[in-house]
Amino acid sequence: MSYLKLHWQDGVPYNPVYGDVYYSAQGGIEETRHVFIQGNNLIERFAVTERSFSIFETGFGTGLNFVATVRAFLDAAEDGVSLDYVSIEKHLLHPDDIASIAQRFPELADEFAELLRGYPEPVSGWHRIALFDNRVRLTLLIGDIEDLIDDVRIRVDAWFLDGFSPSQNHAMWSHRLFASMADNSHTATSFATYTVAGDVRRGLQAAGFSIQKVPGFGSKREMLTGRYQSDNRQSVLPWFELPVKQEATEKVVAIVGAGIAGLTTAMQFSQRGWKILLIDAERQIAAGASGNPSGLVLPRLSMDDERDSFFDLQALMFARQCYQQLQQNSDEPFWFPSGVECGFDPRKADKLLAIDFLQPVLRQSAETELTADYSWLCNRYAGWLRPQRCCQAIYQRCSDSITLIHDTVTDVRRVEQGIELLGEGDRHIAQASHVVIANAGDVDKIAGVGEFPVSRARGQLSGIPAACCGEPAHVPLSAESYSTPAYEGMFYAGASYDESDDRGLSQRDHDDNMAKLARLQPWLKLAAAELNGRVSFRANSLDRVPVVGAVHDVSFFEQVYHDLRHGKRAGLYPGAQHIAGLYINVAHGARGLTSAFLSAEIIVSLVEATPVPVAGSILDHLNPARFMIKRLKRAKRCTD
Ligand SMILES: Cc1cc2nc3c(=O)[nH]c(=O)nc-3n(C[C@H](O)[C@H](O)[C@H](O)COP(=O)(O)OP(=O)(O)OC[C@H]3O[C@@H](n4cnc5c(N)ncnc54)[C@H](O)[C@@H]3O)c2cc1C
Ligand SMILES: C[S@@+](CC[C@H](N)C(=O)[O-])C[C@H]1O[C@@H](n2cnc3c(N)ncnc32)[C@H](O)[C@@H]1O
């Protein structure tokens, strides 16, 4: 996918394919204010909003509606209230075009500048961008509305319907859109649109919206506004329903585990004004796998389940932004967005070449030629990280909000005022209204969290002094093993994989790492290298997908969903119940440096009941209850 080059006609942005303009020639901002802001009564609603407000727009286009709405929101809403603006766009405009549009609206210069700072790469899928210190979150769904709209699971307060003219742009005014609007609306949800087209009116009415014709903007005599009339349950599988929001009198969350999963969760909470009790069994942060000296930030592009690739890719794009921001605020280099050269099975390479950000690797010098056993493609959005340093940077960034507690949690218990965390011998450690368990492969050592099929896999990285073995590759390489470029004279290769519990370095693993490195970089002279290294443990779930979300109530699930295997209609079951305030963020496997930030953002969005940054199917894919549901669906009759 690539950016769309903008056309102009009579001084306004124009799309020749749809034969329509992006905004009115009679005044872009005035049109937004009249049709969408006033049409949804937003100034009054922003002023009385207590926590957060959510808008869903069809057609992001130039971003003018977005920036004008942000301005109105920042002027009208109380401090501490946040805006979630979700928008769909199939033909993402080039940032240079957005910049030239911005010049025409100097009164919105700050808002356009913030938008451009986080403007996404042209990669399909969901992108989340935080603006104005996280008071505004933009979620851009890049792709065709027809592919995306059925998978939206968001509680929307106001809809902006802004496709091109319905006669030219049917997909943006379809019955599927109206059905999804109904699914994601509540009784106070409003909509506004510039059109009064009969099909749109009838479609919205049939979906359950009241309709009002009101004066339109400029040459348009009339426009439509209205409200959703009923309060239905989203058509989600009941066992995957979102948790009920727990009000927090004080915004304090306890997080167990100070690796990258716990720290990114702490960072996302701190950006939303929470205080964090961060508890780790070790004396320093990042003492587990996240303390490695080096690692790849690289998505898994799975051919088996496309949800793996969707999640990983989206996680990568979100992580890149977070790493970049953290790096900007730190003198110590830790994030290197260099791209990663990946060796794929040649039989799969053709399919992968269809992914436009994977480009064939061409080497200038025969001396550093990569092995022909693989097809080499460079993932240009990937990179490499010094995780230990990055974790320090995250901690420093939000240390004002964090109280670090050195202790080992053995039990979590629901009490009247929230959740209590206990140590050995029922010793009180902490209590909070919300708790996130982020202790990787040790989740089974905490009673009260429930059972999750998560296991540990030992891994050893080998550190090699660069000077003694020729010139190591300047770009990270990944095939059956991986290597990262040299930093301060050392580079790393790995990582071994076994199921033992041994924390000590093993010569056999070093030998194995070196043998694999020799296949990756055959030009290196490794025989004389004096190695060092680090051993740590990955946490893998049974299906190799992270476990992220609210913790379900096991006894409720056993009781209510026990007969799932009989294939009764899902709609006949009541919605899921969860352990109020308890969340989990574990099992990042060998990709935690990619998956941690987006997983953290999912958790915080669930806790605050604000729009999640991923599609509903991805939420289900990560849902901690999925293992239990699979088991109940498979359970044999005789176990009744
Ligand atoms: C050798 C190796 C190489 C890797 N390479 C890469 C790579 O290149 N790219 C990539 O993306 N990923 C890589 N990974 C995986 C990545 O390191 C992990 O996915 C990531 O670090 C997981 O972070 P985490 O916070 O979930 O776990 P951890 O970093 O392990 O943190 C868990 C924390 O929980 C604490 N804890 C545990 N139990 C308790 C308790 N009961 N009470 C209090 N605290 C507790 C621990 O002390 C620990 O600090 C690699 C892993 C290994 C082992
Ligand atoms: C009228 S413009 C939106 C103007 C925009 N709200 C603004 O503030 O500039 C309509 C937008 O819908 C987008 N669009 C058209 N068909 C689409 C589709 N099938 N899926 C998603 N977006 C689509 C267009 O690319 C265009 O950006």
Side-chain angles (χ1 to χ4, degrees), residues 256-262 279-282 287-290 292 295-296 407-409 438-440 442 446 459-461 482 495 536-538 588-594:
V256 182
I260 196 152
I279 304 157
D280 201 285
E282 302 295 335
S290 309
N292 280 342
L296 299 183
D407 215 326
T408 303
V409 176
N439 71 335
D442 287 330
I446 305 182
Q460 179 171 317
L461 272 178
Y482 70 81
S536 55
F537 296 86
R538 308 168 185 87
H588 291 277
R591 303 278 182 206
L593 310 182
T594 301

Side-chain angles (χ1 to χ4, degrees), residues 294-310:
S294 182
L296 299 183
V297 179
L298 179 69
R300 175 163 61 143
L301 298 175
S302 160
M303 294 285 148
D304 305 328
D305 189 335
E306 61 180 17
R307 289 175 302 178
D308 291 337
S309 312
F310 285 160

Side-chain angles (χ1 to χ4, degrees), residues 9-308:
Q9 191 181 63
D10 303 329
V12 274
Y14 172 78
N15 189 315
V17 176
Y18 297 92
D20 201 357
V21 289
Y22 284 78
Y23 52 75
S24 168
Q26 290 151 299
I29 302 187
E30 292 75 10
E31 183 188 33
T32 299
R33 287 186 182 139
H34 179 85
V35 177
F36 297 107
I37 298 180
Q38 201 178 308
N40 280 295
N41 195 23
L42 290 187
I43 305 293
E44 288 78 354
R45 289 167 80 191
F46 286 158
V48 296
T49 298
E50 281 179 13
R51 289 275 166 85
S52 62
F53 195 90
S54 63
I55 293 173
F56 196 113
E57 175 187 52
T58 53
F60 187 71
T62 65
L64 181 61
N65 278 349
F66 169 65
V67 291
T69 306
V70 168
R71 178 73 268 148
F73 170 79
L74 294 174
D75 288 344
E78 298 278 343
D79 290 351
V81 176
S82 64
L83 173 69
D84 272 281
Y85 193 100
V86 185
S87 189
I88 290 197
E89 181 54 61
K90 182 177 177 184
H91 314 288
L92 192 67
L93 291 177
H94 196 284
D96 291 348
D97 283 326
I98 303 284
S100 62
I101 287 163
Q103 283 176 0
R104 293 174 180 245
F105 300 103
E107 63 272 54
L108 295 173
D110 290 352
E111 290 72 19
F112 269 118
E114 280 281 289
L115 168 62
L116 282 166
R117 254 194 288 282
Y119 199 72
E121 299 284 344
V123 171
S124 353
W126 291 46
H127 296 250
R128 168 148 300 182
I129 301 130
L131 300 91
F132 293 103
D133 287 333
N134 214 34
R135 276 201 77 194
V136 178
R137 287 175 292 272
L138 170 63
T139 308
L140 250 183
L141 279 56
I142 302 178
D144 195 321
I145 194 166
E146 297 201 312
D147 300 330
L148 296 164
I149 196 67
D150 295 343
D151 209 2
V152 168
R153 204 176 295 165
I154 283 173
R155 194 179 147 90
V156 176
D157 296 316
W159 295 88
F160 292 8
L161 302 186
D162 199 19
F164 286 127
S165 162
S167 58
Q168 308 291 328
N169 195 188
H170 301 290
M172 293 291 267
W173 307 93
S174 70
H175 285 265
R176 269 169 68 192
L177 165 67
F178 303 143
S180 175
M181 285 174 66
D183 251 5
N184 291 292
S185 294
H186 53 91
T187 41
T189 301
S190 62
F191 82 87
T193 179
Y194 66 87
T195 182
V196 284
D199 280 351
V200 172
R201 213 165 5 116
R202 285 186 290 277
L204 284 164
Q205 243 160 356
F209 288 86
S210 69
I211 305 285
Q212 247 190 309
K213 274 190 187 168
V214 296
F217 176 77
S219 56
K220 290 203 162 52
R221 206 160 50 85
E222 292 177 313
M223 56 172 266
L224 296 180
T225 64
R227 265 179 193 278
Y228 191 58
Q229 303 273 275
S230 68
D231 207 358
N232 63 356
R233 211 174 98 189
Q234 291 195 326
S235 49
V236 173
L237 291 171
W239 37 90
F240 288 151
E241 275 189 14
L242 300 184
V244 174
K245 183 178 179 190
Q246 294 299 304
E247 290 303 336
T249 33
E250 286 171 291
K251 286 170 94 170
V252 180
V253 59
I255 299 174
V256 182
I260 196 152
L263 285 162
T264 51
T265 307
M267 181 171 130
Q268 302 309 101
F269 270 108
S270 122
Q271 286 178 356
R272 295 200 194 193
W274 288 66
K275 295 277 175 224
I276 297 113
L277 307 172
L278 183 61
I279 304 157
D280 201 285
E282 302 295 335
R283 285 200 180 277
Q284 73 277 32
I285 61 161
S290 309
N292 280 342
S294 182
L296 299 183
V297 179
L298 179 69
R300 175 163 61 143
L301 298 175
S302 160
M303 294 285 148
D304 305 328
D305 189 335
E306 61 180 17
R307 289 175 302 178
D308 291 337

